[in-house]
Amino acid sequence: MDQLYLLPTSDSKLGRSFPSHGFAGRNAVIAKKYGEVTSATAITFNLLLPFLNGFNTRLEAHVKDGSDLSAEELRNHVQDCSLEAAKSFSIVTAKIGIQTSIAAYLIEAKTPAADATVYLWDSYPRLHQKYVGDLCEKLYIPRFLASLLGPKSQDADIACFDSKVPFANAFEDSLKRHVIITIADVTVSNVVVTLEAARYPKYKHNRPVAVAKRMVRLSASKVIALVGRACGGATGNLFAGGVGEYWGEYVGAVIGSVLGAKLVIAVHNS
């Protein structure tokens, strides 16, 4: 796939040449993501496990207190945990839905930059088995545990990702890789903030101005984390190629999140 780097500091001749994202049209990516969301694995991790974890926590509280559990309390616990699990599942599903919508739009755009963004976003889950699996082997942990993190790594993805590229190119690749996820995360998080504020409008911290400020701070912190992730990935690529970029993104995301939180607090207190 021909690559087009958008940042003026990036050199298209020295950047990566990506494989095709493989989607014939928007219906293909919609069908793929729908299958992932409704798969047994996704429902287990995003719905059943949160319910069981919440229910188990409530039961442990009764055991520690030595208190009896009435039938009514049991029904209330089941109801509350079901609602919490459904809310968690809805948030995850909404984020994936927004990601898919953005990807579908980019696929229809049929431009090199849009195609590269879709490929980077779609291929990222396929990197986990390779790099986390390699780390597991070095730590004498069973490699198969990495298979729980995503689909099987493909040779074409690893060959593309493992290449060393200039800092600016790796920075832009990382931004494209995670920008769709970040947009969906920011959108859903702000909707959740708005809905929660609408439930209890009388509270001072749920007044429109306070909610708007909270949304701005939330969005800013996530964007700073995205930039930090890209900086970490690009720095890691300079020293260790693809593996450095993969783990550098995590380090950069943590540093970016911390700096973003501090900056937001400083602005809020100023």
Side-chain angles (χ1 to χ4, degrees), residues 74-107:
L74 181 61
R75 285 195 298 270
N76 290 336
H77 289 334
V78 171
Q79 182 179 2
D80 292 342
C81 293
S82 298
L83 291 174
E84 291 174 2
K87 176 183 176 182
S88 175
F89 184 73
S90 299
I91 290 174
V92 172
T93 303
K95 289 180 180 180
I96 295 176
I98 294 174
Q99 292 178 35
T100 306
S101 299
I102 297 172
Y105 172 80
L106 293 176
I107 289 171

Side-chain angles (χ1 to χ4, degrees), residues 123-138 143 145-147 149-155 157-159 161-162 242-243 246-247:
S123 65
Y124 182 66
R126 298 195 293 270
L127 301 178
H128 303 319
Q129 281 205 37
K130 162 64 176 174
Y131 295 106
V132 176
D134 290 348
L135 179 63
C136 287
E137 283 191 351
K138 292 179 180 179
R143 188 184 183 96
L145 293 175
S147 64
L149 302 177
K152 185 178 180 180
S153 304
Q154 298 181 7
D155 293 339
D157 300 329
I158 303 303
F161 189 74
D162 260 343
V243 64
Y246 180 84
W247 294 111

Side-chain angles (χ1 to χ4, degrees), residues 33-51 81-97 188 192:
K33 291 302 175 181
Y34 176 79
E36 291 178 357
V37 170
T38 57
S39 67
T41 302
I43 292 175
T44 299
F45 277 94
N46 298 324
L47 185 61
L48 295 181
L49 286 182
F51 168 78
C81 293
S82 298
L83 291 174
E84 291 174 2
K87 176 183 176 182
S88 175
F89 184 73
S90 299
I91 290 174
V92 172
T93 303
K95 289 180 180 180
I96 295 176
V188 173
V192 170

